[in-house]
C-alpha cells in the first residue's frame, strides 16, 4: 500500500508513478539536428552511456530513427560505450581520429562525453567543420556552444522533473495516489537559442 514514485531512471517492472523525461525524445532531437545539418555523404561516430542503461538505449534508438533511418547517405563509422565519462570519450575519440580520416559528426548520449569528444578533436586539430551533439545542457557544454566549438546540447529539465516529483508526492500524502505519470519535455539548444540558456 506504499506508493513508489520515481524520477530520472526507469524500473524494469513493478507498479510505480513517475516524473520523467522521455530519453528517446532527446535522441530524436539530436537525430533531427544532425539529419538537417550534416553534409551529403557524412561520416559520424556515436558515444553511448553505460551498457544496459534504459536512458542510454532510448537515446540511441531516438537518434537512429531520426537521422540514420532517414538519411541513408550518412554513414555510422562506429559506436562505443563510453559510460557517460569525459575521460572514456577522449580515449575513444583519440583512437577513432587515428583510424578514420573523415569524421563529420559526433553524437554523444550526454554532455560529458561530448565535451571529451570536443577536446580530442581540438587536440587533433580536427574540430573545424565537425558537428558535436550532447545531452544535459551542462555549464561546460553551454560554454562550448557559445564559443562555436560544440553544435548542440539537449536540455534535460532536472528542475521540471523535481517539481513533478513533489507534485506526485504531495498528492500521495494528501491521500490521492495519482494514476498519470508526468512527462517533462527536453529542449534543443544550439547557437540559434544559446542566449536564452547561457548564464
Amino acid at each position: 500500500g506504499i506508493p513508489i514514485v520515481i524520477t530520472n531512471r526507469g524500473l524494469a517492472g513493478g507498479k510505480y508513478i513517475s516524473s520523467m523525461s522521455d530519453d528517446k525524445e532527446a535522441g530524436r532531437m539530436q537525430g533531427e539536428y544532425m539529419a538537417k545539418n550534416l553534409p551529403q555523404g557524412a561520416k559520424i561516430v556515436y558515444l553511448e552511456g553505460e551498457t544496459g542503461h534504459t536512458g542510454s538505449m532510448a537515446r540511441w534508438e531516438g537518434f537512429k530513427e531520426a537521422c540514420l533511418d532517414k538519411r541513408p547517405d550518412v554513414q555510422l563509422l562506429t559506436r562505443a560505450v563510453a559510460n557517460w565519462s569525459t575521460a572514456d570519450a577522449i580515449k575513444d575519440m583519440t583512437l577513432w581520429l587515428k583510424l578514420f580520416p573523415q569524421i563529420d559528426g559526433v553524437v554523444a548520449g550526454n554532455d560529458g562525453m561530448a565535451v571529451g569528444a570536443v577536446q580530442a578533436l581540438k587536440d587533433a586539430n580536427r574540430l573545424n567543420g565537425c558537428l558535436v551533439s550532447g545531452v544535459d545542457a551542462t555549464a561546460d557544454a553551454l560554454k562550448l556552444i557559445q564559443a562555436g566549438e560544440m553544435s548542440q546540447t539537449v536540455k534535460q529539465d532536472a528542475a521540471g522533473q523535481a517539481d513533478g516529483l513533489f507534485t506526485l508526492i504531495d498528492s500521495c500524502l494528501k491521500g490521492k495516489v495519482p494514476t498519470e505519470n508526468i512527462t517533462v519535455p527536453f529542449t534543443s539548444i544550439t547557437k540559434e537559442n544559446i542566449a536564452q540558456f547561457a548564464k
Side-chain angles (χ1 to χ4, degrees), residues 37-97:
N37 292 288
L38 283 169
Q40 194 68 21
K43 296 179 192 246
I44 64 164
V45 295
Y46 189 93
L47 292 158
E48 55 190 294
E50 65 197 85
T51 305
H53 185 282
T54 52
S56 178
M57 293 185 290
R59 288 175 192 183
W60 159 254
E61 283 163 20
F63 168 73
K64 181 180 173 296
E65 285 174 18
C67 181
L68 299 178
D69 293 352
K70 298 213 165 122
R71 286 273 312 266
D73 64 293
V74 173
Q75 183 189 350
L76 178 70
L77 295 168
T78 187
R79 57 192 264 234
V81 173
N83 297 305
W84 312 118
S85 158
T86 301
D88 285 6
I90 290 172
K91 190 178 70 182
D92 289 331
M93 275 305 299
T94 301
L95 173 65
W96 292 343
L97 287 161

Side-chain angles (χ1 to χ4, degrees), residues 10-186:
L11 295 178
K15 192 177 176 190
Y16 56 85
I17 46 175
S18 67
S19 172
M20 305 263 284
S21 296
D22 177 3
D23 282 295
K24 195 168 181 179
E25 184 194 8
R28 181 181 55 72
M29 286 180 170
Q30 289 182 291
E32 285 170 354
Y33 177 85
M34 287 291 179
K36 183 180 170 191
N37 292 288
L38 283 169
Q40 194 68 21
K43 296 179 192 246
I44 64 164
V45 295
Y46 189 93
L47 292 158
E48 55 190 294
E50 65 197 85
T51 305
H53 185 282
T54 52
S56 178
M57 293 185 290
R59 288 175 192 183
W60 159 254
E61 283 163 20
F63 168 73
K64 181 180 173 296
E65 285 174 18
C67 181
L68 299 178
D69 293 352
K70 298 213 165 122
R71 286 273 312 266
D73 64 293
V74 173
Q75 183 189 350
L76 178 70
L77 295 168
T78 187
R79 57 192 264 234
V81 173
N83 297 305
W84 312 118
S85 158
T86 301
D88 285 6
I90 290 172
K91 190 178 70 182
D92 289 331
M93 275 305 299
T94 301
L95 173 65
W96 292 343
L97 287 161
K98 288 176 183 156
L99 293 175
F100 304 115
Q102 179 186 345
I103 298 177
D104 303 296
V106 181
V107 181
N110 78 341
D111 281 343
M113 296 185 291
V115 167
V118 168
Q119 186 59 55
L121 285 158
K122 279 169 84 171
D123 290 347
N125 202 24
R126 283 179 55 186
L127 180 59
N128 194 25
C130 185
L131 303 180
V132 181
S133 171
V135 177
D136 285 335
T138 63
D140 286 344
L142 295 175
K143 278 185 198 147
L144 290 175
I145 291 172
Q146 272 185 304
E149 295 181 335
M150 191 166 146
S151 313
Q152 179 198 34
T153 184
V154 180
K155 178 179 168 65
Q156 179 167 207
D157 187 355
Q161 288 182 16
D163 285 345
L165 198 61
F166 281 109
T167 300
L168 294 172
I169 292 168
D170 189 50
S171 192
C172 291
L173 291 172
K174 288 174 178 164
K176 283 188 181 172
V177 178
T179 53
E180 295 288 311
N181 295 323
I182 292 173
T183 303
V184 182
F186 283 94

